[in-house]
Amino acid sequence: MSRPARRAALRRAVACATVAPLLLAAPAAAQRPADDRVQRGLERLVAAPGGPPAAIATLHRDGRTTVLRAGRADVRRARPPRPDDHMRIASVAKAFSGAVALRLVQEGRLSLDETIGARLPGLPAAWASVTLRQLLNHTSGLPDYTRSEGFAQQVADDPRGYVPPARIVDWVRAQPLAFAPGTRYAYSNTDNIVVALMAEAATGRSYGALLRDLVLRPAGLRATTLPTRRIALPRPFLHGYEVAPGARPQDVTTLLSPSGAWASGGIVSTPRELGVFVRRLLGGGFFGAAQARAQRRFVPGASSPPGPGANAAGLGLFRYRTRCGVVYGHTGSFPGYTQWIAATADGRRSVTTTLTRAAPSGRLLRQLRAVQTAAVCALLGR
């Protein structure tokens, strides 16, 4: 792909982004009628104009995981997506940084009412009164760096270049708060960058080390990593694409450095391990009951992209109230990938969905949310 074509593909892609036993279900042989509805929904997504080259869903119930999938992990080869394929998890990474922060709250090294000014006095004075709680539920008012001129310039000029967290902050350092902290909800990717910086300041350790020791190792997530300089995905992996109706899919798997997303969206994982993570997150495996209660105090606000049903925002977690019941989790979009993870309140059942294109809009987004709703119904047996 030529440099101008790569830049054009990146601009379009970024604009769109904003271990249990397995039962593998072939398209014609879903395990249950409710699963079959999810399977047909995945197939329709892949077949739709502008649809993803691949889609995969996992449903964990009664100690067993069913995998439903459609399309190809790589458009050049006839191989379906698999639950152990690596992929970029996009803003689902915010659930991980939330887990790190809440563990540090449990340990007394951070407080939900602690302010940016107290912990990070070098950040803009206008941000000083913003609390960790407001960062975690997106009521901070911090400007979103992915909408900044600096971020756009980085994508245009050096999309594969390493971006340190300090530069991310610098892109929005001079911008005013969007509103008084705590008065409104507005999803901002800057929030979780600052959450990770507060965690580093509280412990004197890198965010990557905290993530590894507080979340990844305790949960046994050996295939989940936070790359900063490595752009290639570990094998096997799901290729990510930019797609448009009537055009050939453009592979954007390695067109953008994950360092520019860092704690806000840079993690690499697999469908299988995302299921393990969200079950442990809801099941109390990372922090105590007091932190779990705080995490599940919700304000009106949708994840990005919106998940199924009525969305509400907690601390690094969203509530999805659907016609079949309530689940809790997070969505995400990155060039080439759209993600959703969720689990029941007790963490015993989980669902994940992955598309190999950035978050769709319009009719395709409505289709995706309908498939996710069907997956919740299948998960809850309704």
Side-chain angles (χ1 to χ4, degrees), residues 278-284 296 328 343-350:
V278 75
R279 291 194 299 275
R280 190 176 180 98
L281 179 68
L282 271 296
R296 300 185 200 187
Y328 305 84
T344 52
D346 60 6
R348 298 182 66 181
R349 298 184 177 214
S350 68

Side-chain angles (χ1 to χ4, degrees), residues 47-359:
I56 181 170
T58 69
L59 295 165
H60 184 86
R61 300 157 296 197
D62 305 321
R64 309 181 79 185
T65 300
T66 298
V67 180
L68 307 167
R69 65 253 182 108
R72 296 183 175 193
D74 179 348
V75 297
R76 301 168 302 173
R77 297 176 176 85
R79 181 178 81 75
R82 296 171 180 164
D84 291 317
D85 284 338
H86 294 82
M87 60 197 184
R88 305 194 191 281
I89 73 169
S91 285
V92 169
K94 294 177 174 66
F96 285 73
S97 57
V100 169
L102 289 170
R103 174 59 182 269
L104 293 177
V105 169
Q106 180 190 21
E107 294 177 357
R109 293 196 274 179
L110 277 175
S111 163
L112 288 173
D113 296 319
E114 189 164 4
T115 63
I116 293 177
R119 186 61 70 175
L120 299 167
L123 292 192
W127 302 4
S129 66
V130 173
T131 67
L132 178 62
R133 187 192 313 273
Q134 291 162 347
L135 292 168
L136 288 170
N137 68 5
H138 297 296
T139 61
S140 70
L142 265 59
D144 188 341
Y145 77 89
T146 64
R147 301 177 182 272
S148 70
E149 292 183 8
F151 178 73
Q153 199 68 41
Q154 178 74 31
V155 169
D157 293 346
D158 190 16
R160 293 166 58 88
Y162 171 69
V163 179
R167 187 185 305 167
I168 296 174
V169 172
D170 285 345
W171 287 335
V172 291
R173 179 179 289 274
Q175 295 183 24
L177 292 176
F179 48 83
T183 62
R184 287 175 47 195
Y185 170 90
Y187 191 93
S188 173
N189 287 285
T190 310
D191 287 336
N192 288 74
I193 300 297
V194 179
V195 167
L197 292 174
M198 290 182 74
E200 290 187 333
T203 62
R205 305 182 66 209
S206 72
Y207 174 67
L210 292 170
L211 177 69
R212 180 194 64 218
D213 292 344
L214 301 182
V215 174
L216 304 186
R217 283 182 175 170
L221 304 180
R222 296 179 178 84
T224 302
T225 59
L226 178 63
T228 53
R229 298 184 184 272
R230 177 186 172 96
I231 299 177
L233 293 180
R235 296 180 181 275
F237 64 89
L238 293 172
H239 289 250
Y241 294 92
E242 183 212 349
V243 294
R248 292 177 60 87
Q250 297 291 318
D251 194 321
V252 295
T253 308
T254 60
L255 281 182
L256 190 63
S257 169
S259 63
W262 195 48
S264 187
I267 290 176
V268 169
S269 189
T270 69
R272 185 203 299 266
E273 291 207 348
L274 285 186
V276 173
F277 166 76
V278 75
R279 291 194 299 275
R280 190 176 180 98
L281 179 68
L282 271 296
F286 296 124
F287 43 78
Q291 291 73 46
R293 288 192 297 272
Q295 184 185 42
R296 300 185 200 187
R297 292 179 184 136
F298 295 96
V299 299
S303 57
S304 181
N311 293 197
L315 305 184
L317 187 76
F318 287 84
R319 182 182 68 201
Y320 302 104
R321 195 184 299 278
T322 76
R323 60 182 171 82
C324 288
V326 178
V327 291
Y328 305 84
H330 215 291
T331 62
S333 179
F334 192 93
Y337 303 90
T338 302
Q339 304 287 4
W340 178 56
I341 65 170
T344 52
D346 60 6
R348 298 182 66 181
R349 298 184 177 214
S350 68
V351 55
T352 73
T353 63
T354 297
L355 307 185
T356 57
R357 60 150 290 168

